[in-house]
Amino acid sequence: MSFHIHPDARRRTLALAFLVSAAVLLAGPRDAAADAVVGQPAPAFTLTGTDGRPHSLAEYAGKYVVLEWLNHDCPFVRKHYVGGNMQRLQKKWTGRDVVWLSINSSAPGKQGNYPPEEANELTSSKGAAPTAVLLDPDGTVGRAYGAKTTPHMFVVDPKGVLIYAGGIDDKPSTDPADVGAARNHVDHALTEALDGKPVTVATSTPYGCSVKY
Amino acid sequence: MIAFLGAALLSGAGAAAAADSVAAPHVTVSLVADVDAVRPGEPFDAGIRFVLEQDWHVYWANPGDSGLAPTVRWTLPAGTTAGPIVWPHPYRILVGPLANFGYAGEVVLPIRIAPSRALEPGEPLSLAARVDWLVCKEDCIPGEAQLSLVLPVAGGAATPSRWASAFAAAHTRVPRSLDGIAVAALRHDDRLELRLTARDGGAVLAHGTANDGGGLAFFPAEPGFVENAAEQPQSVAADVVTVSLERSRQRRAPVEHLRGTLVAGGGFAPDGAPALAIDVPVRDALPPPAAGDTAEEASRVAGAGAAAAGSVWLAMGLALLGGLLLNVMPCVFPVLSIKVLDFVRQAGGDRARLGRHGWAYAAGVMLSFWALAGALLALRAGGEGLGWGFQLQSPAFVVVMIFVLAALALSLLGLFDIGLGVTAVAGRVPQGDGLAGSFATGVLATFVATPCTAPFMGPALGWALTQPAARALAVFTALGAGMALPYVVLCVVPGWLRLLPRPGAWLETFRRLMAFPLLATVVWLLWVLGLQAGSDAIAGTLAGVLLLAAGLWVRGRFAGLERPQATRRVASASALLLAVAGLATALAWCGAAPAASRVAASGPAGATDAYGIAWRPYSRAALAELRAARTPVFVDFTAAWCLTCKVNEHVVFSSREVRDAFAARDVAMLRADWTSRDDEITHALASFGRSGVPLYVLYGSGAEPVVLPSVLTRGMILDALQKIG
């Protein structure tokens, strides 16, 4: 015995089967954006400094490098500059051959975006002592690192591996009075790393103003 | 930085709606209460009210990528205490590549105040709060204010203030857990999936789709778990909703627990609550559970073979074997009788033609497997809690199967000749070729076969359904190839054909005889339908089959080639009309069954069965409870449409020795009835790496349950029982 089905019906069945299979095959997973991740090589970059010369991460290979996301008009950044907390940290560690790069990712027209001369004037008027202040007006490096806030801190070891990413300390506030009681994660990370110890707090939640991309 | 110190604006005792307010840059902040007067010892709500300029916002408890939540520090009279801020759900505020969580426009943050019992009417209650906040558009301005509120103490009932409705609105937006919705969180590589399942056949969302009001948004309670600004792809079905979250890129440790708030634009069922509190352990998606929430989840047993090897080849090999064995499983056997008949009839003919029939049958099998697998994968990707054999969980599908099988049986009994009729209509298919018929037999065999799990097939399919689509399809291909293989071999290898008997007069008798296995299948499907949709559906379907039979008789009697063409046309049209009317009748009756009659589906799981075993319906909670009490448990994952299950149950439980062995150990008997859709059971199957029934699991006192083979014998059960002591 045998029975037939209408050829059109058969064609429709085939078409359906292939459509369904194709739809399933096409629905692949979406690629996640890459951020700087602790334990992995820090993203390479070259940015122009307010000193007018290019600075790349590669040229500081062999040294510890601190990256500080900066916006002097942000109240959270001010918290750490008003009482001299950030400046002290910069002086302490650049004095021990650590490279300190303050990166400004504010886009042109947005809060905290200053031309190089004004940026230099801010640096000197606040008594800041970074190795260099770098300008990232199109936000490329900020996005590559996943910099979310000002401040947002990163520490790179001499091999170029990220060993700390996160907040400057554990007291999210704009009150300079909180600095004293806070645990400064960057200070601890550098102290431990220079002593050859593993970094106990290698990530934390950054707090502050949004980076003005 | 501009810090504001609000002057304490004390309103006199007895004044209505006392509120202290400070106008800061871009925001006005006030301290308000939901009552105009308080009663001693009777709690009420005080709250911080923010009224924001356009585009400015304040933050939620977790501010997201930047920002800072407001804080309140109270100064209260002795004996009066304040609770924490009760946070209404926030909104997502996107700032470039970043996301913040907060409030725009106007918001009241309620705080429960428990006033002292020692308050005296006439002595006002005075509250003072130091409030700190950060208000941002893109730039941010921190603010602070000292606010106070004086409320008279009343002897009588507390009267609602003019802010009472604002407090009520805020409380509506506070996340809560909902009894009707089960929440699970699954870990997939770098993503986390929130899975909401409606309990008791309800819905997850108050409106059909989350798009009525902007979809679903998850707000993590703490930073560092998920990427705040990442898209949250979601799938919405009536009873299952999933939201996929990207794990925080900086996070290295796996996420073990997820807390937060899930907001649905159109609200959650049943009454449109906008925010659901999420507080769940996170489990590995599949194969299950590292840190399981029940003992059942903590065990991974079967499927582990295929999964551990991680090899698509192993799974394909198992599937090929499973496919081969499908041919001798009880579900497929009746349909295969048709195929056998076909072979016998054609055996005398041209060998090349027979080969073509073999391949046409194989094509029917393969395409059906692909279509079923594709549909299953697509539906599962859409968040449906479905497994292998899912189509038989739909009463409409069962009705259609009954119609097809009944028509075939009637044809075999000589009521009419399908080949003749359809060929006459289609006209183009050369008579007597019948390749389409072989193809259709393959399709039918596959659709009938799917509810049967053959040995080796369960682990392979369970593994395949957790894999990327391409691999899953490869495994299904192997399964189909296994099922079609014997026929292709039979048709292609010349020597084998001689094993078949020569066609002759006996063939007509054989053909009539073959109608009965098909009718037996119809009886079984009617029983399945009865469990799914009630006895009315059986009656409706039988009435429909009656109309179908009348139509087929008309066609067989009046549409023969010896009739004039006009007669044939009228007869064919009437036959078609009757068949369609029959199908419509059947579908109408099975759709009309009230929910109450469907409850009957759980009948076999809640009562003593024909063998005198008192089954209890399976639920995760029931299992966990029994396991906690160290009671041995046997779980029978079954479905009315699963013939393998029915055969197993008969073989095993009809034995007095087996029943005594269970009774002697006081084994609790749980039955997980998957006849109709049940996401909890689908989930439990998945935790054993399976996507279909049967599955037999025996829990002894040890941590690891024993998974028994899907084709059971008494000996296996007795051995397993022996081992658990």
Side-chain angles (χ1 to χ4, degrees), chain B residues 201-286:
Chain B
V204 174
L205 299 176
H207 297 286
T209 69
N211 294 330
D212 306 347
L216 293 146
F218 176 74
F219 299 94
E222 292 107 336
F225 286 84
V226 303
E227 278 300 315
N228 298 319
E231 278 178 47
Q232 301 182 347
Q234 41 207 252
S235 76
V236 177
D239 53 354
V240 186
V241 167
T242 63
V243 179
S244 172
L245 309 168
E246 185 181 341
R247 194 190 58 193
S248 174
R249 291 171 205 147
Q250 288 296 347
R251 193 181 176 83
R252 291 187 294 173
V255 177
E256 299 292 355
H257 200 94
L258 197 59
R259 289 204 316 125
T261 299
L262 187 67
V263 176
F268 290 97
D271 51 4
L276 182 66
I278 304 288
D279 189 350
V280 286
V282 180
R283 294 178 293 106
D284 281 326
L286 279 165

Side-chain angles (χ1 to χ4, degrees), chain B residues 26-365:
Chain B
H26 313 296
V27 61
T28 302
V29 186
S30 43
L31 179 60
V32 295
D34 68 344
V35 289
D36 274 337
V38 298
R39 276 164 56 89
E42 191 171 293
F44 65 97
D45 270 350
I48 312 299
R49 179 171 179 261
F50 293 95
V51 179
L52 293 139
E53 262 174 36
Q54 173 90 33
D55 299 331
W56 288 78
H57 53 263
V58 290
Y59 293 94
W60 187 51
N62 171 12
D65 284 330
S66 62
L68 200 60
T71 57
V72 183
R73 271 172 290 172
W74 291 97
T75 307
L76 299 168
T80 297
T81 56
I85 296 177
V86 179
W87 298 93
H89 78 72
Y91 298 92
R92 202 143 107 130
I93 302 149
L94 292 171
V95 188
L98 310 175
N100 290 133
F101 309 140
Y103 309 99
E106 184 180 333
V107 67
V108 172
L109 304 179
I111 294 154
R112 202 74 177 146
I113 304 285
S116 165
R117 289 176 189 282
L119 293 179
E120 295 284 345
E123 288 270 314
L125 171 65
S126 170
L127 311 173
R130 148 87 186 241
V131 183
D132 285 79
W133 68 86
L134 184 72
V135 61
C136 300
K137 182 178 178 182
E138 194 163 350
D139 304 348
C140 297
I141 301 171
E144 60 184 65
Q146 192 69 42
L147 301 169
S148 63
L149 180 61
V150 177
L151 293 165
V153 176
T159 51
S161 75
R162 56 179 284 222
W163 308 110
S165 61
F167 277 94
H171 279 295
T172 312
R173 284 171 45 203
V174 171
R176 51 198 169 104
S177 55
L178 297 167
D179 289 340
I181 300 176
V183 182
L186 304 171
R187 202 181 286 131
H188 303 261
D189 300 332
D190 62 344
R191 302 195 70 84
L192 299 165
E193 181 191 271
L194 269 179
R195 192 175 185 83
L196 276 56
T197 312
R199 297 189 213 269
D200 306 326
V204 174
L205 299 176
H207 297 286
T209 69
N211 294 330
D212 306 347
L216 293 146
F218 176 74
F219 299 94
E222 292 107 336
F225 286 84
V226 303
E227 278 300 315
N228 298 319
E231 278 178 47
Q232 301 182 347
Q234 41 207 252
S235 76
V236 177
D239 53 354
V240 186
V241 167
T242 63
V243 179
S244 172
L245 309 168
E246 185 181 341
R247 194 190 58 193
S248 174
R249 291 171 205 147
Q250 288 296 347
R251 193 181 176 83
R252 291 187 294 173
V255 177
E256 299 292 355
H257 200 94
L258 197 59
R259 289 204 316 125
T261 299
L262 187 67
V263 176
F268 290 97
D271 51 4
L276 182 66
I278 304 288
D279 189 350
V280 286
V282 180
R283 294 178 293 106
D284 281 326
L286 279 165
D293 47 352
T294 69
E296 163 217 320
E297 306 268 315
S299 57
R300 66 181 85 184
V301 187
S311 150
V312 70
W313 295 111
L314 177 57
M316 282 176 75
L318 287 175
L320 190 77
L321 267 176
L324 266 170
L325 287 169
L326 261 185
N327 286 299
V328 293
M329 300 311 288
C331 355
V332 201
F333 204 66
V335 175
L336 290 184
S337 61
I338 306 170
K339 197 63 215 148
V340 169
L341 193 59
D342 216 13
F343 273 115
V344 173
R345 250 170 60 148
Q346 312 240 357
D350 167 14
R351 186 166 297 152
R353 220 189 95 187
L354 195 56
R356 285 201 298 278
H357 276 274
W359 289 114
Y361 171 79
V365 170

Side-chain angles (χ1 to χ4, degrees), chain A residues 68-81 86 103-106 110-113 142 146-154 166-169 171-175 205-213, chain B residues 1-2 56-57 59 63-69 93-101 133-143 228:
Chain A
E68 171 208 353
W69 257 264
L70 178 70
N71 166 3
H72 278 302
D73 296 335
C74 162
F76 293 89
V77 173
R78 247 180 254 154
K79 166 188 171 185
H80 293 283
Y81 277 92
M86 195 70 87
I103 301 179
N104 187 331
S105 293
S106 289
K110 296 268 178 85
Q111 188 196 56
N113 179 287
K148 294 181 166 62
T149 57
T150 49
H152 193 164
M153 310 297 296
F154 296 86
I168 170 104
D169 64 28
K171 287 267 184 287
S173 77
T174 55
D175 189 346
T205 302
Y207 69 88
C209 308
S210 58
V211 174
K212 311 301 177 195
Y213 289 114
Chain B
M1 174 162 80
I2 308 162
W56 288 78
H57 53 263
Y59 293 94
D65 284 330
S66 62
L68 200 60
I93 302 149
L94 292 171
V95 188
L98 310 175
N100 290 133
F101 309 140
W133 68 86
L134 184 72
V135 61
C136 300
K137 182 178 178 182
E138 194 163 350
D139 304 348
C140 297
I141 301 171
N228 298 319

